Amino acid sequence: MRLVNLFRRLFDSSQGLSDRLIPRWLLLRALAVWYLSAFYSLLFQIKGLIGPNGILPAGKYLAAVQHAFPGLARFWYAPSLFWISAGNPMLMAVTWLGLLAAVFAFLNLWPRISFLLCFVCFLSFVSTANDFSGYQSDGMLLEAGFLAIFLAPPGALPGWGANHPPSRASYFLLLWEWFRIYFESGLVKIFSGDPQWRNFTAMDDYYQNLPLPTWTGWYAGHFPHWFHVASTAGTLLLEYVVVLMLFLPRRARIVCFFIVTPWQLGVILSGNYAFLNYLVLSLAILLLDDPALRKFIPSGFKPLTNYHPPDVEHTTAFGGKPGRPFRIPRLAFAAIFLTWIAYATTAELAGFFIHPSQLAELPVEALEPFRIANQYGLFAIMTHGRYEIEFQGSNDNQTWSPYPFQYKPQSLNERPGIYAPYQPRFEWNLWFASLGDWDQNQIVPLTEERLLANDSDVLSLFRGNPFPQAPPRFVRAVLWQYWFTSIAQKRQTGNWWRRSLLGQYAPTLTRVDNGTVVAIQPADQLPLTPLISCVVLPRLSHRVSGRGRHCVFADRKQLPANQPIDCALRGTL
């Protein structure tokens, strides 16, 4: 009987947290907004990214998966609706379906079904987008979005869901995700061995070198050195100490909320990290309860305070009611999956301290393709410079015209924008590519090839086309190094940036008479630069599945001989 009571206490919403209705309602609305931002950004990018004429066509990727995993195994490795079709109409249909489901979720209409549709549609993209979806932020949203299906109240118009308060298991697992994002980010800073974190210099060039800077970050980058030292110390203190307040009594959790929230707001203003920091900010709402939030809710909208769990005498042993035969199977389903996720995420955290062979890894590996039980780790290694790839076209191989980007730094006098949670995935990936060789980042030569054809889907990823009448005869990619201008330089020239050309990043391509694309000039030998996110972690290295990006190190001597590396801990994303 005790086991039955424990089962109901953890997984049955009728025995749930009746004083957490407001935090649940707020979090679910926030998750719907972040889903909406993800699908909205894909409306303008998905065809250029993974369409049939895109840079990395989803159809080709799925064909390769089917060749490697014949039979039903392919659906496990790449769970996606795009198995039905990977053409542009299907890509857009799934994106629109996800966007509409996010709107329904925000309006609290059939929230469980709406969040399920959001999860399936976003997973369909993430599973097939290859390099364009290898970000930690995608895993964070999928994990939180999947748990939201169990957290949300049932029904078409549930309101606050007072008759179905959040189950303890789903509520805690979302807080557990919040905790792991912070705490595991602190752990990777130690395991990476990056001296900048130990010397308190990690923030010295952070605002300049992050993937997509903001104008507020430009000003923050010119703050005194003591500010950057204090920011580094504060980051470590937050990730190692402050987040432990989750496990303390109510008052400590409320204090924790008021510490981490302004910190996240500062991060949001200093860099464009898509929906990542917005999501982490939203998860912290669960640190609060109804008494702490009730004063901020208009009197006519406050949830009832007189809810009482149903009388156990009128329920079956496992929480079912006469005439509701599907309640017990639903509870069993929730118990299995939430327990499974709890084990997998705990094993991921434990993998930092003990060898994975001491853990049962099959349950962890079985969930990997669905990205609902992840390992996180942000800013493990800080980059030492800002590098930008620029695509250029020419008709004579002498005079070159650049393709203008929409968001990332290019024009020296253009003010960096603030546009998160919108995520320009193509430009985001170019930042990663700039930190390695072109042959390890095939999106660069593939983009060159598409530009030789004036492909409209790929050109939509740029701000404009310098060759509107006919495609250029030659396309190349060059590499620049960028720096913030000083305050004096900004006043004198109006420029936010200064830059220096390092050389040709990728080979010059042209199309010969028979339509074949050939390279006529090789890339320059450029110095390798340290990738922010790749961390050598021997405890986890054997679990690399090959789905992540290749990692590049500044000096190949840094990489131990025959030592595989784990790219799951990609620095900022």
Side-chain angles (χ1 to χ4, degrees):
M1 193 63 183
R2 290 182 179 179
L3 185 60
V4 172
N5 290 335
L6 178 62
F7 175 90
R8 294 186 60 193
R9 182 174 175 80
L10 290 176
F11 305 108
D12 191 350
S13 64
S14 67
Q15 301 295 314
L17 302 167
S18 58
D19 63 342
R20 301 294 199 279
L21 301 181
I22 299 176
R24 175 179 68 175
W25 192 93
L26 292 173
L27 175 65
L28 293 179
R29 304 294 78 76
L31 285 178
V33 172
W34 312 144
Y35 263 133
L36 182 64
S37 71
F39 289 118
Y40 177 78
S41 67
L42 288 179
L43 285 178
F44 306 99
Q45 303 176 62
I46 192 167
K47 292 191 291 186
L49 297 177
I50 63 172
N53 296 317
I55 299 170
L56 296 174
K60 292 184 178 180
Y61 174 76
L62 291 176
V65 171
Q66 185 172 7
H67 182 266
F69 300 93
L72 297 179
R74 69 183 188 272
F75 299 118
W76 169 83
Y77 188 85
S80 176
L81 294 175
F82 299 142
W83 283 108
I84 301 173
S85 171
N88 282 337
M90 185 64 175
L91 298 181
M92 295 302 295
V94 170
T95 304
W96 274 109
L97 177 60
L99 189 145
L100 292 175
V103 172
F104 272 54
F106 178 78
L107 297 175
N108 205 18
L109 299 173
W110 294 281
R112 285 186 176 178
I113 297 175
S114 298
F115 277 109
L116 175 61
L117 288 175
C118 286
F119 176 80
V120 171
C121 292
F122 193 57
L123 178 64
S124 295
F125 168 78
V126 170
S127 298
T128 54
N130 211 341
D131 282 0
F132 292 120
S133 63
Y135 313 127
Q136 292 192 59
S137 54
D138 292 334
M140 292 176 190
L141 183 56
L142 285 172
E143 182 175 339
F146 185 77
L147 293 173
I149 300 170
F150 300 93
L151 182 75
L157 291 167
W160 293 104
N163 292 328
H164 298 275
S167 69
R168 287 173 169 81
S170 61
Y171 198 95
F172 175 76
L173 284 177
L174 282 160
L175 277 172
W176 178 237
E177 178 185 359
W178 171 86
F179 170 79
R180 286 165 30 241
I181 292 171
Y182 280 105
F183 192 67
E184 292 178 352
S185 295
L187 293 177
V188 298
K189 292 174 176 58
I190 298 300
F191 285 115
S192 71
D194 186 356
Q196 294 181 89
W197 286 109
R198 304 183 185 190
N199 299 335
F200 295 95
T201 58
M203 302 297 291
D204 287 1
D205 297 314
Y206 158 79
Y207 304 98
Q208 169 188 280
N209 297 339
L210 56 82
L212 295 170
T214 64
W215 64 269
T216 50
W218 185 93
Y219 288 102
H222 291 87
F223 285 172
H225 180 64
W226 66 262
F227 176 83
H228 303 312
V229 172
S231 298
T232 304
T235 299
L236 296 174
L237 182 66
L238 189 76
E239 294 175 345
Y240 281 111
V241 179
V242 173
V243 296
L244 293 175
M245 298 170 75
L246 165 65
F247 305 103
L248 297 180
R250 173 180 181 268
R251 185 169 297 180
R253 295 195 299 271
I254 294 176
V255 171
C256 179
F257 172 83
F258 284 103
I259 295 175
V260 299
T261 297
W263 191 275
Q264 283 298 328
L265 292 174
V267 177
I268 288 171
L269 290 174
S270 67
N272 291 291
Y273 293 113
F275 50 79
L276 188 155
N277 296 103
Y278 289 95
L279 176 59
V280 178
L281 180 72
S282 303
L283 289 172
I285 295 173
L286 298 184
L287 292 167
L288 306 176
D289 54 21
D290 288 357
L293 292 169
R294 183 176 293 274
K295 66 185 72 173
F296 303 104
I297 305 298
S299 57
F301 296 93
K302 292 180 180 179
L304 299 175
T305 58
N306 58 351
Y307 167 76
H308 298 285
D311 189 349
V312 295
E313 294 182 2
H314 295 86
T315 62
T316 64
F318 286 92
K321 291 185 177 182
R324 299 178 63 181
F326 296 107
R327 180 173 178 81
I328 294 177
R330 286 200 300 267
L331 281 176
F333 180 84
I336 291 171
F337 268 95
L338 295 181
T339 303
W340 192 351
I341 292 173
Y343 171 79
T345 53
T346 303
E348 294 277 16
L349 177 58
F352 282 96
F353 305 102
I354 62 177
H355 197 279
S357 62
Q358 298 177 255
L359 302 168
E361 286 203 278
L362 182 59
V364 181
E365 295 172 352
L367 292 180
E368 283 182 353
F370 302 93
R371 304 285 292 276
I372 57 176
N374 306 293
Q375 188 181 72
Y376 302 111
L378 307 175
F379 303 105
I381 298 177
M382 307 300 283
T383 51
H384 296 277
R386 168 161 213 93
Y387 306 93
E388 294 290 353
I389 295 171
E390 183 178 73
F391 293 95
Q392 299 177 345
S394 174
N395 286 320
D396 58 9
N397 202 21
Q398 299 295 324
T399 303
W400 296 90
S401 300
Y403 285 83
F405 291 103
Q406 298 187 54
Y407 302 100
K408 76 187 192 77
Q410 191 171 23
S411 298
L412 302 183
N413 62 352
E414 184 172 354
R415 186 181 74 168
I418 299 177
Y419 42 83
Y422 186 91
Q423 184 174 21
R425 291 176 180 265
F426 173 59
E427 297 183 23
W428 198 278
N429 264 60
L430 289 178
W431 180 83
F432 281 104
S434 71
L435 300 173
D437 287 333
W438 70 270
D439 58 352
Q440 294 175 312
N441 295 277
Q442 289 299 302
I443 65 168
V444 176
L446 289 173
T447 301
E448 290 183 295
E449 184 176 345
R450 295 303 186 190
L451 294 177
L452 282 173
N454 256 4
D455 182 84
S456 59
D457 290 339
V458 173
L459 283 169
S460 67
L461 302 174
F462 294 86
R463 180 177 298 178
N465 179 13
F467 301 90
Q469 304 300 324
R473 294 182 56 200
F474 308 93
V475 174
R476 70 178 184 180
V478 298
L479 188 67
W480 299 87
Q481 184 167 4
Y482 276 68
W483 300 268
F484 280 157
T485 54
S486 65
I487 295 177
Q489 291 171 328
K490 175 70 168 58
R491 290 172 179 170
Q492 182 179 2
T493 66
N495 291 340
W496 297 82
W497 300 97
R498 59 187 180 89
R499 69 179 184 176
S500 176
L501 181 64
L502 298 181
Q504 186 164 329
Y505 176 83
T508 301
L509 302 185
T510 189
R511 192 180 299 274
V512 296
D513 293 338
N514 63 0
T516 304
V517 175
V518 298
I520 62 170
Q521 182 177 339
D524 293 333
Q525 294 294 320
L526 300 174
L528 291 177
T529 53
L531 187 60
I532 188 172
S533 55
C534 295
V535 186
V536 177
L537 293 175
R539 294 179 179 86
L540 305 174
S541 61
H542 78 287
R543 293 189 47 218
V544 179
S545 64
R547 293 171 59 86
R549 294 172 53 87
H550 296 289
C551 298
V552 181
F553 286 76
D555 183 349
R556 296 193 185 278
K557 294 180 181 178
Q558 291 178 277
L559 185 61
N562 301 320
Q563 172 65 64
I565 52 183
D566 191 324
C567 297
L569 308 177
R570 299 179 59 185
T572 56
L573 318 171

